[in-house]
């Protein structure tokens, strides 16, 4: 595909030809050729192609240059029309996508038979119609050209049949000895059908073992409940009930199976309006900023190892029934914090909640349970259910045991379903040596990854959007997964199919298996079952499958718990506490090859394509890293070339070279390392990116370890960051001018200030937001000029409430998926050429030690007096009658003047042919309703104009106005917390209008009189009077 | 001296001088002698010469003025037509007829047209291009572009009489007198 | 009046040595007629190589995209526009010398106007390349012209870039006309001096058959003066419009009301610097020129540089003042960022080159030391380049939303294109020297006649000529 | 030595100059016209198709309604190319063994698509929606004029931007009662009686005192009736996204 396509013609072609295409040798070969080198990132764009070819290519791009008369393409009719098929129309199908076993319900948008977008499923408890970045990006996994496509034996392509034959033969042998030599390793499994298949096998082979391993495990939750209540339980938080939430080293608003739901619930208590001047309060104690931490009203930077002490102190102050040997000391600030938190919790007993993160040892969880118990929160703000997994287990224990057995050569047959222990198992078990010891090892996975390389057999895994299946949400609710598309590659299989084969049901389709299971499970008559099935599949949730709430009680009082040893005062400056955490975008590494997630700026650090050793600025300087190496001729330039120093970390005998990066709000004497990077067999995009933190991670120090020794090196490393943090790299000498916090960008205030003065008039810069300058021209184009009763005209506008924004970035990826936004690769991001239309601004305010964070999504503001339009010499960007600042890609000649004159810098330019995609598969993914921009063209957000047009045409056909809420931009649709509202400003009853009329509504850089259609509500937070004093005074503003 | 019969195909009779001053002198005397059709040729613009010859005109300035006017109106018109009549677009909320924005191009148009007016006008009124001209038939005339000054009385002149003109030219003390073939 | 002038030019002679009409003509006209010094070949060769560099760069640019440059999201304009403004500025001196000095009746302009007009034309050529090729899709750049098309859509006339299109193209056309018109009589001279028929024909055609008729001269001078009168506001408008590219927008550091005058002054400043940079070597290369481009000329040019330099420097001071006086923290930050930001080096370099160094020109000794003068002119050219760098890059890289701040660093391709244009410029200048009289012969003779005829020893021919035996035309 | 130029060279010179200027003007005019010409737009050139399908035969002679094959045209963006199935609804009965229809039968039997050549093609960045037009009284005939006379299908309009805009700027010139949209033989009523009759027939409200007299007046009436907002029709975002 040389020329950009709107997918319509090609769309139909692909729709038709998929089946043939998938099998056709050319296609196989074509993709095989691309595997595994072909890189999406643009770094090698120039070097890879020869010169003349490019010449031709770029000329061919004139295709987008408004000359319509190219040779006409083919138009391919269907032989037979499927009943539901409507040419050029999209259909939505409910299904679910699972991350480490837990399902997120989605509505998949299918265009001409290919899924092109995933939206949240309103019926689904984990989604409520919203999604997160990962779910949005899982669409890309389906079309990833690096996906494994062939059955491999020792890396050589073999037909599926050969594999099946050999497997069955081996199974037969094992059956004889009751499967004594068989070990099955999977991730956490909630799928009832799959679990049932495995259980069947285990029943038949009692000596066989089934282990589950998740690198990012929540086993501590279970152990915690066992300590407290005597059994493994899974907590469900009711954050909408909580007035006070205390999160100890827990990122519950962002990571974890329920995060999207929790973020939604939590924000119900923060919708500050003139009608409702109240909000809940969030306390967070954590070593490094997390999304939850950035949302906090009061945050305490503290080493993970000290959390236990902290929790215990709180418990003591609330005289919760806990008994332990406290060790280590709390600093005065920490003491103060503890007192305040305890007081708050007490004050809101029954409507407060204390949550502890998965990384904390069971004891700390137990303490938290005790506290919640004492406060009477249990049953109100938190309830407990039986674990959603089919077979709950302790992952570390499982993997250790498996390692043990492998060590003793007890394993003759190892079946690994969608796991990658060779990469993510604890380093001390060194699986890379163990796996090859197994005579017959099978790996089922979407990629030929580190583990596959060590196995005898590798079987490509089918993507969940290609097959039937089922999965449970965090609260146990089951979703029947239905396929959106015929498997792209003929040889792929699902875990279900593989188990069915092993169980001798080889003929069965996944559809039959799932349906059969539920037929059995539901115990309904075939007639009843049919409607049950239809309804379940259609709604995306199986009724009455949520796990029931279990009543709980402390098994003993007081609880006697063993507190872990906290990190004492470190003597040597270069000995730090190290904390492992899942990566904010690529999680535990399974998404390492997902270009969207790789390029998505990490919520806190705004870096991408990398993980780095994050530490506080003090530590950074203490290690003598500041002004090192490439910090060139000016301190301020330290980040100009985006170069940071490399350090070597040594931890119990293992060592890792990693780039160090200072980040505000990180606790001193500690560093945080994200898992998931440094893959060697992730695929073209993931391989070689970042540093492999697993090499330091051992079963003993799974989450945090003390005494990590840091040795600075001479080398430096280029970091791709989409935003500098100014508290660090602009000099402090003149805060009034330098510190961004003092720029009139975001209007901020505390709940108290808002109560006294809803317009926050006496806030600094407030006038800057409101007052408008007189114009020389008759302003015929202002939206309020359109207002008259018989006015048909829409005035589209958007209001964003930063108070509700956690910075989870779901909107960013949703925008990328909806608008065919290309990925540019690390080198281009380093050169500040990322293409994301929607960015999330993150501003620090206050001292670098513990600043406040203010965030806001920044799309195109659709200014009414847009400067960009004024300076475009070819009228490629102009206003339409509905107030959209439309960007006509095919008219753009690429002077980039508009971008210069945009004070918000929300325009993006195709410096190269970013939209070029070598693999035909990727073209299946593109949204046919959005022009694919060619090289040399400016692009930007237009409020998802394609959705507006669609709605307008429908409305016109039905002779009515577009209803409020009928048009929902991708960002709004994805947002878990409803921080974005879009609609018609001319409609007095529209939600957007109501938000816009809030007293604390303001326009960013309003004084420029560009009169943006996108406005914001002031970011309100709710600091505790006794604490915030300290921090805010640092900031010096207001 | 025997009168010489006029060559049938004679363009005129040309006197050659060494200094501009002599030429100016000669020109005014030729004029007062009642000759109409005569012209002077100099290597550089000699000031006071045309006055001496009694030539006065301002065609070029007027042409330039008119062209400039046309240019200005044309481009302003073009801009108004395009942005108000043919395809009015809401550009950054500005009025369709946001005339101050149209001034620069209007001005440039004025200058462009005027400049062409000046250049083309000058050539046209001078009857150029004229690579061929009878005066070039006089070999010495090659120095007209270097350091010599010529006065040529044309045979078209009503009172052109060969030997009379010759005598008259003689009286101007030229360096040389030559007939100019038509 | 005339007397006064005559007295002044006695103490500051515009010519050196004994001049006659023939000598003036011969000294200048024989340069293109005779073979050239080997040095010419060398420099021309260098220029040609540069041009080659330019061409290859452009091809690659069109093939791959503007991504090969260092520009990025906050800094969407880099070397492309910097060099555009720089070249345009240089071009302006030519028109200024030929037009404004003509209107001001500055007789000393005669000896350098042809030369600097040529410089203008070639500089504008170089300048024009940048806006054309800085577009993401040069193959549709013709959309910037209001051509009737089947898209039924037109350019957008509120954009300063659109104004640029008209301004620059008009400026180029008018400059060419002006230059060519001045050439016509001299081409006629060349024609009459030519030995070979070919030369006669070529020059004959190019000179439109000019024959120096008094009436023609009358109209010629009218037209020439009017063109000058037109070019003067034109040259001012062009650079004002270029400055509006920035002043129209709201970027702190661009949104400045003094830009037009300050840009024009800057243009003249850099233009004169470039004239000096070229004149001094040419005087060495062609000693004949020294009789007409005397030390006085050079001295005056240096003085003009000094004056315009001060205007420019005043501009810098204004910007600082505005920053403080605006009470607008974005403006204030800009000033601080210029002083101490990542690009402080560029800013202080600019102050040094354009503010400090030119002060040397106060001293006559330095004004008469060709080497130092030459160096100063180079420094000023560099300084003016930095000025554009500061205006464009420093303003863009940190504007309103600090979340969108970034840095800019040119790539090898930026440099290749820049050096390429310089090479092209040099090549064209040397071609010009090779084929066209470098000074305006007729005008020089006019000046000489008006100011020196009678004073200088011309009386050799004063005596009455004898009556000559008459002969038919064509004989003898 | 005689001068190199002869007297006639003056004429030559002047002729050259005048000629050159004229040529320049001519070039511009030619350019702007050629781009609009069918030679460029390929209007009226039938493309070869796997099956020589005749709209004339099916529509004009057999009187099959457009919507029988292009069934999605009133609901969807795309008019849709009928599936082989649809063809076979008739051709399993008639012309069952015509060699011309062999490809159709093959396609049906092997469940393989028919690959037609696209006749009316728009650039990828133009989003045309059939339903938006046919439901608002813009007829097939407006863009596919004369299709009912075509044995081999060719595009009858340039499909260039100025052509689209021409109608988007003043739809009155082309709009008709939506009931008449699929009628290729529709004529604007010429006299008030017919006009009145038609308006009554389709219950289009009108002022009996001044019944539209011609297409333009009828057009204005319908534009109002169908609630079409003219000024909005030339917004960029209407066709480009």
């Amino acid at each position: 595909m040389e020329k950009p396509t709107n997918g319509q013609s090609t769309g139909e072609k692909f729709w038709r030809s998929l089946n043939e295409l998938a099998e056709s040798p050319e296609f196989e070969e074509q993709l095989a050729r691309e595997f595994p080198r072909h890189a999406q990132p643009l770094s090698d764009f120039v070097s890879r192609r020869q010169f003349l070819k490019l010449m031709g290519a770029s000329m061919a791009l004139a295709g987008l240059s408004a000359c319509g008369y190219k040779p006409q393409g083919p138009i391919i009719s269907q032989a037979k029309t499927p009943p539901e098929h409507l040419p050029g129309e999209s259909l939505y199908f409910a299904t679910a996508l699972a991350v480490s076993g837990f399902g997120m319900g989605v509505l998949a948008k299918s265009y001409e038979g290919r899924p092109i977008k995933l939206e949240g499923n309103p019926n689904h408890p984990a989604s409520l119609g919203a999604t997160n970045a990962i779910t949005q990006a899982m669409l890309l996994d389906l079309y990833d050209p690096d996906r494994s496509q062939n059955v491999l034996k020792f890396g050589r392509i073999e037909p599926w049949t050969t594999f099946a034959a050999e497997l069955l033969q081996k199974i037969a042998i094992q059956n004889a000895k009751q499967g004594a030599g068989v070990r099955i390793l999977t991730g956490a499994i909630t799928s009832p059908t799959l679990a049932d298949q495995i259980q069947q096998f285990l029943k038949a082979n009692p000596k066989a073992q089934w282990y589950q391993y998740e690198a990012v495990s929540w086993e501590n939750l279970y152990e915690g409940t066992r300590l407290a209540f005597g059994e493994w339980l899974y907590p469900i938080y009711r954050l909408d009930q909580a007035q006070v939430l205390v999160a100890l080293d827990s990122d519950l608003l962002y990571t974890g199976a329920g995060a999207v739901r929790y973020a939604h619930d939590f924000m119900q208590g923060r919708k500050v309006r003139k009608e409702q001047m109240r909000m809940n309060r969030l306390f967070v104690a954590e070593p490094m900023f997390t999304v939850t931490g950035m949302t906090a009203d009061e945050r305490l930077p503290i080493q993970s190892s000290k959390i236990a002490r902290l929790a215990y102190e709180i418990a003591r102050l609330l005289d919760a029934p806990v008994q332990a040997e406290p060790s280590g000391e709390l600093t005065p600030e920490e003491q103060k914090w503890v007192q305040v938190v305890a007081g708050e919790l007490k004050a809101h007993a029954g409507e407060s909640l204390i949550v502890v993160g998965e990384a904390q040892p069971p004891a700390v969880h137990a303490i938290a349970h005790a506290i919640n118990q004492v406060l009477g929160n249990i049953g109100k703000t938190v309830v407990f259910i039986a674990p959603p997994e089919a077979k709950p287990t302790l992952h570390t224990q499982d993997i250790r045991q498996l390692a043990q057995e492998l060590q003793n050569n007890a394993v003759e047959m190892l079946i690994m379903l969608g796991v990658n222990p060779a990469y993510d198992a604890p380093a001390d078990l060194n699986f890379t040596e163990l796996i090859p010891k197994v005579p017959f090892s099978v790996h089922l996975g979407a990629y030929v990854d580190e583990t596959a390389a060590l196995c005898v057999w590798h079987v490509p895994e089918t993507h969940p959007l290609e097959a039937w299946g089922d999965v449970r949400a965090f609260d146990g609710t089951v979703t029947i997964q239905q396929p959106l598309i015929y498997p792209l590659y003929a040889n792929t299989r699902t875990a279900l199919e593989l188990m069915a084969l092993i169980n001798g049901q080889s003929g069965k389709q996944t559809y039959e298996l799932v349906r059969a299971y539920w037929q059995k499970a539901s115990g309904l008559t075939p007639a009843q079952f049919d409607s049950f099935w239809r309804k379940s599949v259609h709604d995306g949730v199986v009724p009455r499958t949520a796990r029931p709430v279990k009543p709980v009680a402390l098994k003993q009082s007081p609880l006697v718990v063993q507190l872990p040893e906290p990190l004492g005062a470190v003597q040597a400056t270069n000995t730090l506490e190290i904390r492992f955490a899942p990566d904010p975008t690529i999680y535990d590494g399974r998404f390492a090859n997902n270009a969207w997630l790789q390029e998505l700026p990490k919520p806190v650090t705004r870096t991408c394509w990398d993980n780095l050793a994050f530490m506080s600025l003090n530590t950074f300087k203490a290690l003598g890293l500041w002004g090192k190496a490439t910090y060139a001729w000016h301190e301020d330039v330290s980040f100009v070339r985006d170069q940071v120093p490399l350090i070597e970390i040594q931890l119990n005998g293992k060592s890792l070279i990693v780039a160090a990066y200072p980040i505000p709000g990180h606790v001193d004497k500690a560093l945080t390392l994200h898992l998931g990077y440094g893959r060697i067999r992730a695929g073209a995009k993931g391989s070689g990116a970042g540093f492999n933190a697993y090499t330091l991670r051992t079963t003993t120090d799974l989450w945090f370890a003390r005494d990590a020794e840091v040795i600075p090196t001479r080398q430096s490393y280029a970091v791709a960051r989409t935003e500098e943090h100014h508290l660090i790299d602009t000099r402090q000498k003149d805060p009034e001018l330098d510190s961004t916090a003092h720029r009139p960008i975001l209007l901020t205030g505390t709940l108290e200030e808002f109560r006294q003065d809803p317009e926050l008039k006496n806030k600094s810069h407030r006038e800057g937001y409101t007052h408008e300058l007189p114009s020389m021209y008759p302003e015929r184009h202002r939206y309020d000029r359109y207002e008259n009763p018989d006015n048909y005209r829409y005035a589209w506008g958007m209001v964003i409430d930063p108070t509700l924004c956690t910075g989870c970035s779901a909107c960013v990826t949703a925008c990328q998926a909806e608008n065919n936004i290309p990925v540019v690769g690390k080198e281009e991001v380093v050169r500040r050429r990322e293409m994301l239309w929607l960015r999330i601004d993150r501003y620090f305010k206050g001292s670098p030690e513990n600043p406040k964070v203010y965030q806001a999504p920044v799309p195109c503001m659709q200014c009414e007096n847009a400067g960009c339009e004024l300076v475009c010499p070819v009228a490629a960007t102009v206003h339409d009658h509905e107030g959209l600042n439309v960007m006509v890609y095919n008219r753009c000649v690429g002077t980039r003047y508009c971008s210069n004159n945009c004070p918000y810098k929300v325009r993006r330019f195709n410096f190269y042919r970013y939209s070029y995609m070598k693999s035909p598969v990727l073209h299946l993914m593109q949204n046919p309703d959005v022009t694919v921009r060619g090289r040399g063209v400016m692009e930007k957000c237009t409020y998802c104009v394609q959705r507006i047009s669609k709605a307008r045409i429908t409305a016109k056909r039905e002779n009515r106005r577009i209803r409020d809420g009928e048009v929902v931009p991708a960002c709004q649709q994805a947002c878990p917390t409803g921080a974005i509202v879009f609609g018609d400003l001319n409609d007095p009853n529209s939600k957007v209008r109501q938000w816009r009329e809030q007293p604390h509504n303001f326009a960013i850089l309003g004084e420029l009189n560009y009169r943006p259609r996108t406005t914001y509500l002031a970011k309100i937070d709710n600091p505790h009077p006794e604490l915030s004093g300290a921090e805010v005074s640092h900031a010096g503003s207001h | 001296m025997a009168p010489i019969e006029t060559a049938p195909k004679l363009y005129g009779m040309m006197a050659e001088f060494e200094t501009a001053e002599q030429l100016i002198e000669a020109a005014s005397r030729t004029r007062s002698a009642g000759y109409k059709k005569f012209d002077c040729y100099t290597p550089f613009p000699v000031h006071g010469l045309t006055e001496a010859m009694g030539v006065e005109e301002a065609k070029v300035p007027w042409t330039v003025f008119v062209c400039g006017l046309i240019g200005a109106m044309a481009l302003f018109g073009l801009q108004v037509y395009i942005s108000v009549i043919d395809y009015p677009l809401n550009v950054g909320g500005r009025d369709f007829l946001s005339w101050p924005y149209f001034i620069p191009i209007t001005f440039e148009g004025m200058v462009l047209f005027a400049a062409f007016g000046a250049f083309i006008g000058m050539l046209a009124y001078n009857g150029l291009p004229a690579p061929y001209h009878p005066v070039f038939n006089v070999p010495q005339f090659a120095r007209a572009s270097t350091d010599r000054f010529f006065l040529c009385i044309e045979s078209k002149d009503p009172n052109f009489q060969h030997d009379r003109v010759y005598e008259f030219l003689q009286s101007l003390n030229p360096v040389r007198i030559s007939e100019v073939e038509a | 009046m005339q007397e006064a002038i005559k007295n002044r030019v006695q103490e500051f002679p515009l010519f050196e040595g004994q001049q006659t009409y023939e000598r003036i003509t011969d000294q200048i006209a024989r340069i293109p007629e005779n073979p050239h010094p080997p040095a010419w070949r060398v420099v021309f060769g260098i220029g040609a190589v540069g041009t080659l560099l330019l061409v290859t760069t452009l091809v690659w640019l069109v093939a791959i995209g503007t991504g090969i440059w260092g520009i990025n999201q906050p800094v969407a304009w880099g070397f492309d526009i910097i060099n555009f403004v720089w070249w345009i500025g240089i071009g302006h001196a030519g028109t200024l010398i030929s037009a404004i000095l003509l209107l001001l009746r500055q007789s000393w302009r005669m000896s350098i106007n042809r030369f600097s007009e040529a410089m203008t034309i070639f500089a504008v050529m170089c300048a024009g390349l940048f806006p054309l090729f800085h577009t993401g899709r040069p193959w549709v750049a013709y959309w910037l012209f209001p051509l009737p098309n089947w898209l039924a859509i037109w350019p957008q006339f509120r954009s300063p870039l659109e104004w640029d299109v008209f301004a620059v193209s008009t400026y180029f056309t008018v400059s060419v006309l002006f230059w060519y018109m001045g050439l016509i009589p001299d081409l006629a001279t060349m024609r009459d001096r030519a030995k070979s028929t070919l030369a006669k024909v070529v020059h004959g055609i190019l000179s439109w058959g000019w024959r120096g008729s008094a009436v023609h001269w009358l109209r010629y001078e009218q037209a020439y003066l009017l063109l000058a009168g037109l070019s003067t506001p034109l040259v001012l408008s062009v650079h004002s419009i270029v400055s509006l590219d920035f002043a129209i927008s709201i970027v702190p550091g661009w949104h400045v009301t003094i830009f037009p005058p300050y840009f024009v002054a800057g243009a003249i400043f850099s233009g004169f610097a470039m004239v000096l940079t070229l004149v001094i070597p040419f005087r060495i290369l062609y000693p004949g020129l020294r009789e007409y481009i005397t030390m006085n000329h050079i001295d005056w040019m240096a003085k003009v540089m000094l004056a315009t330099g001060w205007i420019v420097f005043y501009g810098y001071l204004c910007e600082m003042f505005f920053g403080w006086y605006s009470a607008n923290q974005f403006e204030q930050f800009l000033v601080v960022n210029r002083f101490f930001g990542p690009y402080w080096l560029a800013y202080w370099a600019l102050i040094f080159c354009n503010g400090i160094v030119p002060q040397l020109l106060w001293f006559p000794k330095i004004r008469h030391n060709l080497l130092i003068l030459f160096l100063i002119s180079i420094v000023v050219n560099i300084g003016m380049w930095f000025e554009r760098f500061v205006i464009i890059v420093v303003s863009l890289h940190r504007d309103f939303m600090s979340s969108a701040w970034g840095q800019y660093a040119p790539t090898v391709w930026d440099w290749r294109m820049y050096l390429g244009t310089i090479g092209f410029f040099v090549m064209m200048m040397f071609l010009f020297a090779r084929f066209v009289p470098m000074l305006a012969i007729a005008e020089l003779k006019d000046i000489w006649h008006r100011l020196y005829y009678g004073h200088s020893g011309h009386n050799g021919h004063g005596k009455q000529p004898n009556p000559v035996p008459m002969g038919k035309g064509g004989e003898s | 030595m005689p001068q190199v130029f002869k007297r006639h060279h003056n004429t030559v010179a002047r002729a050259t100059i005048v000629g050159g200027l004229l040529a320049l003007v001519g070039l511009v005019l030619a350019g702007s016209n050629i781009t609009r010409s069918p030679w460029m737009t390929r209007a009226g050139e039938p493309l070869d198709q796997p099956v020589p399908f005749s709209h004339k035969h099916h529509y004009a002679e057999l009187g099959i309604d457009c919507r029988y094959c292009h069934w999605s045209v009133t609901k969807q963006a795309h008019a849709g190319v009928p599936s082989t199935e649809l063809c076979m609804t008739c051709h399993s009965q008639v012309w069952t063994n015509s060699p011309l229809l062999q490809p159709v039968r093959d396609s049906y039997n092997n469940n393989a698509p028919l690959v037609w050549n696209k006749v009316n093609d728009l650039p990828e960045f133009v989003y045309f929606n059939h339903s938006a037009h046919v439901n608002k009284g813009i007829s097939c005939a407006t863009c596919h004029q004369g299709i009912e006379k075509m044995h081999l299908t060719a595009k009858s309009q340039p499909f260039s931007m100025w052509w689209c805009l021409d109608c988007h700027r003043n739809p009155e010139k082309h709009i008709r009662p939506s009931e008449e949209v699929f009628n290729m033989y529709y004529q604007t009523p010429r006299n008030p009686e017919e006009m009145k009759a038609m308006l009554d027939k389709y219950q289009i409200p009108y002022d009996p005192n001044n019944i539209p007299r011609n297409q333009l007046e009828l057009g204005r009436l319908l534009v109002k009736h169908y609630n079409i907002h003219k000024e909005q029709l030339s917004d960029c975002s209407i066709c480009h996204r």
Side-chain angles (χ1 to χ4, degrees), chain D:
Chain D
M1 156 177 160
Q3 55 174 314
V4 289
F5 294 100
K6 300 280 157 286
R7 183 174 263 107
H8 66 272
H9 285 126
N10 291 353
T11 336
V12 175
R14 284 160 204 169
T16 328
I17 290 165
V18 178
L21 291 178
L22 290 182
L24 209 68
V25 178
L27 225 69
V28 173
L29 292 181
S32 67
N33 285 318
I34 288 172
T35 48
R36 292 168 165 79
S37 69
W39 177 77
M40 185 79 176
T41 64
R42 306 232 195 93
E45 293 176 21
L47 309 178
D48 9 342
Q49 305 286 8
V51 182
F53 176 86
S54 162
H55 279 91
K56 178 178 169 60
H57 177 63
H58 288 82
Y59 179 87
E61 292 162 22
L62 303 177
I64 301 173
D65 188 280
C66 310
R67 283 160 291 187
Y68 183 77
C69 304
H70 305 289
W71 50 273
S72 64
V73 74
T74 51
K75 299 179 227 58
Q76 309 300 338
H78 307 303
V81 182
S83 60
T84 320
E85 237 176 357
L86 198 55
C87 310
M88 294 305 280
T89 49
C90 300
H91 286 295
S92 52
Q93 316 301 325
V94 298
W95 299 110
T96 44
N97 43 19
S98 141
L100 284 181
L101 294 179
Q102 193 50 44
V104 183
R105 289 191 291 273
D106 294 348
S107 154
Y108 187 71
N109 300 333
N110 318 341
N111 185 15
L114 275 170
V115 181
W116 304 87
N117 287 317
K118 209 164 187 181
V119 174
N120 298 306
D121 198 7
L122 289 176
E124 315 76 25
F125 46 82
V126 177
Y127 291 85
F128 179 83
N129 188 309
H130 277 90
S131 68
H133 290 78
V134 294
N135 287 305
K136 293 290 181 181
I138 298 302
S139 160
C140 313
T142 314
C143 308
H144 308 295
Q145 182 190 30
I147 189 91
E148 75 278 9
K149 301 193 205 65
M150 293 184 193
H151 265 309
L152 293 178
T153 311
K155 77 174 174 184
S156 56
Q157 301 291 348
F159 287 106
S160 65
M161 183 166 163
W162 64 266
W163 175 80
C164 295
L165 270 173
D166 178 48
C167 182
H168 270 222
R169 280 169 178 163
N170 25 32
E172 305 89 355
K173 288 200 288 190
H174 304 275
I175 193 166
R176 60 172 78 170
S178 53
E179 293 81 355
E180 292 288 351
V181 157
F182 298 97
N183 171 6
M184 289 293 171
Y185 306 109
Y186 165 87
Q187 298 278 351
T188 315
R190 256 170 257 74
N191 53 52
E193 294 68 36
E194 291 178 24
M195 188 68 82
K196 194 165 178 320
M198 183 183 79
L199 292 175
D200 294 336
K201 181 167 161 218
Y202 301 129
Q203 292 126 25
I204 298 164
Y206 60 94
D207 168 7
N209 312 338
N210 55 356
I211 298 163
R213 272 170 276 112
N214 52 28
Q215 173 60 41
L216 268 187
E217 294 182 13
L218 174 64
R220 288 200 199 86
L221 185 72
L222 291 174
V223 165
K224 192 177 249 63
H225 177 58
Y226 291 132
N227 181 27
I228 295 167
H229 304 301
K230 251 177 77 173
E231 74 277 34
Q232 201 175 6
L233 288 183
S234 47
D235 280 349
C236 306
S237 54
I238 289 291
C239 309
H240 303 297
R241 300 168 189 173

